[in-house]
Amino acid sequence: MKGYCVYLRKSRADVEAEARGEGETLSRHSNMLMELAKKQDLNVVKIYKEIVSGDSIAARPQMQSLLADVSECRYAGVLVAEIERLARGDTIDQGIVAQAFRESSTKIVTPAKTYDPDNEFDEEYFEFSLFMSRREYKTIKRRMQGGRLASVKEGNYISSAAPYGYRKVNPEPKVHTLEIVPEEAEMIRLMYSLYLEGHGAKYIANELDRIGISPQKSTSWEPSSIKKILSNPLYCGMLSWKTKSDGDALYKGRHEPIITEEVFLAVQQKKRTDPAAQLRPNDKLMNYYHNILYCQNCGHQMKRRFIAGSGHEHMLCACRECRGKVVSSTVEAVDEAVIAALRYRITGLEKLRYSGADEKRSKPDKKVPLMAELEKAKRQLSKLYDLLEKEIYDTDTFLERSKKVNDKIRSLEAAVRETEIEKKPSQLPPDEAVRRLQNVIDSFSDSAPEEKNRLLHTALRRIYYYKTERASRSNPSSDLLLSAEFL
Ligand SMILES: [Zn+2]
């Protein structure tokens, strides 16, 4: 887990105030920010203390080293007394700071507000909101919105990405519109006509996957994206603009429609009057690993998909995080690995039976002493803060000690999590467990999908799937790894 740092710097006004005898600014800010860190449970690992009081980045050596470290994604966030302490006046400097924080997703934590580049609602306004007063920012945003609306009214398509079925074109200056991508447009027409024939979004998604056509940014279709396409008036030539008061306003676009207005309206009508058409489930349970097979990397359920290029049904993790990281396997390969895991479990249980050892009694509960140690470490940390506040420790000593304690806390937390995984007891008596496992192994291959699913549930809770290398002719060995939670 990444830590936080503190950046301290005097402004010109502070220098003048100190000359009038007001207290030392940096130590006052330091106390305030450490207090904030304590309250929000932020692990401070470094303090940057600017001695000189230059305004520009070029005149501030500590700022330069902070920016370099932020760009390398060293920190989860930076604590600072006010946002202006990072950059002031010069718009280029502000741009540099905003960019470094945005690209590394580093938070800026001030006593008044935490700025999170990942959560700021509208990313392109992050730097505006960062350095401008609320009012200035609103005026600018409104002016930009006004310009955008005027452009939409002229029929321009101004969003950053083209929707499925189109590509963005810029035929003359100030004209932004869309051009049809013929093979994608064909799919849009198919979606609309399948829906009007009475099929639901899930059926349509499966149908497109079966044909082997992928959406723009994924390997398979989600019913939710089909629903979005079926609701988007863009496909019959319109542009929509969200208004605060009365929903979406529609304007005629410059782009060529893919479907007629009649078809679009018919689909909207059907959605209102026939909700069943949207919800109709897939006829039969095909994925017999439903509620059984999960991705080890992200925890999502693995999906069953036909992959056209390979000619096989695969199990894959469709989530964004795992794309390119967790590799799919054919359903047969997963079946084989599952049966092998069941066999291995039987061997283990039998060994246990012969040795007569009781799994539970042989392992004392490790969690209780760990929790006690964790509590102790947390008390230590809070004591360090006290010593810092009472100025018994200087900041360097504090950072050095608190780093040690923080490291200890992290490793204890990890150890506690580990015991929680280990602790899931095997509740079935070994004889019964073996009997059920054997039954799955014997009946699995001849059973229908629904029966397979039921069988698996008799013997185990979950299977976690992990595989990162694609098998090939030169590398036929698979690194498919399954770990199971047995009943
Ligand atoms: Zn995953």
Side-chain angles (χ1 to χ4, degrees):
M1 204 189 297
K2 278 190 274 186
Y4 286 74
C5 71
V6 168
Y7 178 73
L8 299 170
R9 170 201 164 209
K10 278 181 213 180
S11 69
R12 209 161 278 150
D14 296 328
V15 178
E16 286 159 16
E18 280 176 22
R20 289 196 304 271
E22 287 178 26
E24 214 277 311
T25 316
L26 293 192
S27 61
R28 193 160 42 85
H29 283 175
S30 173
N31 291 343
M32 176 175 80
L33 293 174
M34 293 314 269
E35 182 68 25
L36 183 66
K38 187 183 172 187
K39 212 161 57 187
Q40 299 193 7
D41 201 15
L42 309 176
N43 171 19
V44 172
V45 294
K46 187 165 175 174
I47 295 179
Y48 298 82
K49 192 170 174 179
E50 202 81 74
I51 310 292
V52 295
S53 67
D55 265 349
S56 71
I57 294 175
R60 289 187 278 145
Q62 287 293 307
M63 186 63 197
Q64 292 166 26
S65 97
L66 172 70
L67 280 178
D69 291 344
V70 163
S71 304
E72 281 177 18
C73 306
R74 288 248 176 105
Y75 304 117
V78 177
L79 284 91
V80 60
E82 301 150 331
I83 203 89
E84 292 81 7
R85 303 279 157 171
L86 291 173
R88 151 149 246 155
D90 188 327
T91 47
I92 294 178
D93 276 3
Q94 291 179 348
I96 292 171
V97 171
Q99 191 182 5
F101 279 81
R102 195 182 50 220
E103 285 179 357
S104 59
S105 294
T106 308
K107 289 181 196 149
I108 301 174
V109 184
T110 73
K113 189 191 165 186
T114 294
Y115 299 82
D116 183 348
D118 288 341
N119 280 348
E120 290 299 311
F121 178 68
D122 205 344
E123 204 192 307
E124 65 185 284
Y125 298 120
F126 177 65
E127 51 202 273
F128 288 113
S129 66
L130 202 50
F131 294 109
M132 280 181 205
S133 75
R134 211 62 214 150
R135 220 181 61 208
E136 282 174 310
Y137 164 57
K138 275 195 176 148
T139 316
I140 287 183
K141 186 161 177 170
R142 198 165 50 234
R143 212 174 288 150
M144 290 178 80
Q145 290 289 81
R148 289 162 75 86
L149 176 57
S151 183
V152 170
K153 281 183 176 166
E154 284 167 17
N156 286 305
Y157 180 81
I158 57 168
S159 303
S160 54
Y164 187 83
Y166 288 103
R167 69 172 72 88
K168 284 185 74 171
V169 286
N170 189 195
E172 50 188 281
K174 292 199 172 179
V175 171
H176 301 275
T177 188
L178 299 165
E179 187 179 85
I180 291 180
V181 177
E183 57 279 17
E184 291 183 2
E186 218 32 67
M187 290 306 115
I188 304 276
R189 291 187 198 104
L190 180 62
M191 288 178 212
Y192 274 82
S193 63
L194 282 172
Y195 186 79
L196 287 177
E197 281 166 24
H199 298 292
K202 190 162 182 190
Y203 176 92
I204 298 174
N206 287 339
E207 191 62 15
L208 292 172
D209 286 340
R210 203 185 53 76
I211 298 172
I213 306 285
S214 300
Q216 282 165 338
K217 289 177 191 158
S218 171
T219 51
S220 58
W221 286 94
E222 292 298 329
S224 60
S225 37
I226 306 277
K227 283 182 198 167
K228 258 187 217 154
I229 288 176
L230 291 174
S231 315
N232 193 347
L234 188 109
Y235 293 113
C236 67
M238 305 304 283
L239 295 163
S240 65
W241 178 263
K242 269 201 182 8
T243 62
K244 262 199 195 126
S245 43
D246 42 13
D248 287 6
L250 288 180
Y251 299 98
K252 179 112 189 61
R254 289 172 188 268
H255 62 281
E256 196 187 325
I258 290 176
I259 50 158
T260 63
E261 211 175 307
E262 290 73 40
V263 168
F264 181 77
L265 291 175
V267 165
Q268 308 317 307
Q269 172 75 13
K270 192 173 173 66
K271 277 204 301 202
R272 271 193 300 276
T273 53
D274 183 10
Q278 251 187 333
L279 302 170
R280 190 207 300 266
N282 208 5
D283 296 338
K284 266 203 182 118
L285 177 76
M286 279 305 293
N287 175 14
Y288 45 82
Y289 287 111
H290 181 67
N291 284 346
I292 294 271
L293 192 65
Y294 292 80
C295 170
Q296 170 110 53
N297 191 46
C298 69
H300 286 110
Q301 270 206 57
M302 303 285 293
K303 299 199 162 156
R304 182 183 168 119
R305 289 286 149 76
F306 179 76
I307 295 186
S310 76
H312 289 282
E313 299 269 342
H314 280 236
M315 297 306 299
L316 55 85
C317 180
C319 91
R320 191 180 294 264
E321 188 192 328
C322 296
R323 211 164 293 148
K325 222 193 285 169
V326 176
V327 168
S328 71
S329 298
T330 60
V331 175
E332 294 83 69
V334 174
D335 289 352
E336 259 173 49
V338 166
I339 297 298
L342 300 183
R343 290 223 164 85
Y344 186 73
R345 173 71 175 173
I346 292 182
T347 321
L349 285 170
E350 269 165 358
K351 241 184 235 159
L352 201 70
R353 250 192 319 184
Y354 290 128
S355 70
D358 186 324
E359 221 179 343
K360 258 185 255 170
R361 217 175 309 150
S362 64
K363 275 188 202 157
D365 192 352
K366 283 184 270 175
K367 192 179 166 186
V368 176
L370 282 173
M371 289 297 285
E373 238 185 296
L374 184 60
E375 277 309 304
K376 204 171 118 195
K378 283 186 175 164
R379 278 200 303 275
Q380 265 176 359
L381 185 64
S382 141
K383 200 156 175 207
L384 289 178
Y385 276 108
D386 289 344
L387 291 170
L388 179 71
E389 270 163 38
K390 290 181 188 139
E391 295 184 2
I392 295 167
Y393 277 176
D394 57 29
T395 47
D396 284 343
T397 317
F398 170 80
L399 288 179
E400 189 194 317
R401 304 268 156 95
S402 75
K403 185 182 179 306
K404 273 187 199 146
V405 179
N406 268 311
D407 288 348
K408 194 169 167 193
I409 290 177
R410 303 287 164 248
S411 69
L412 282 169
E413 280 172 346
V416 169
R417 272 199 300 277
E418 201 105 308
T419 60
E420 276 163 1
I421 297 169
E422 271 176 28
K423 245 187 79 186
K424 287 213 174 103
S426 138
Q427 289 148 341
L428 287 179
D431 289 352
E432 174 63 10
V434 169
R435 198 191 59 75
R436 293 194 190 184
L437 290 162
Q438 195 58 54
N439 182 38
V440 181
I441 295 171
D442 295 341
S443 327
F444 194 73
S445 62
D446 294 332
S447 300
E450 270 149 86
E451 177 62 10
K452 281 182 173 154
N453 188 257
R454 197 195 62 76
L455 276 169
L456 290 167
H457 276 292
T458 63
L460 40 78
R461 256 181 225 106
R462 279 181 173 207
I463 302 173
Y464 289 97
Y465 174 102
Y466 198 66
K467 177 170 161 66
T468 56
E469 276 174 43
R470 208 168 280 290
S472 63
R473 213 161 288 163
S474 58
N475 174 28
S477 71
S478 164
D479 68 336
L480 172 60
L481 203 72
L482 299 180
S483 58
E485 279 175 23
F486 292 98
L487 281 174

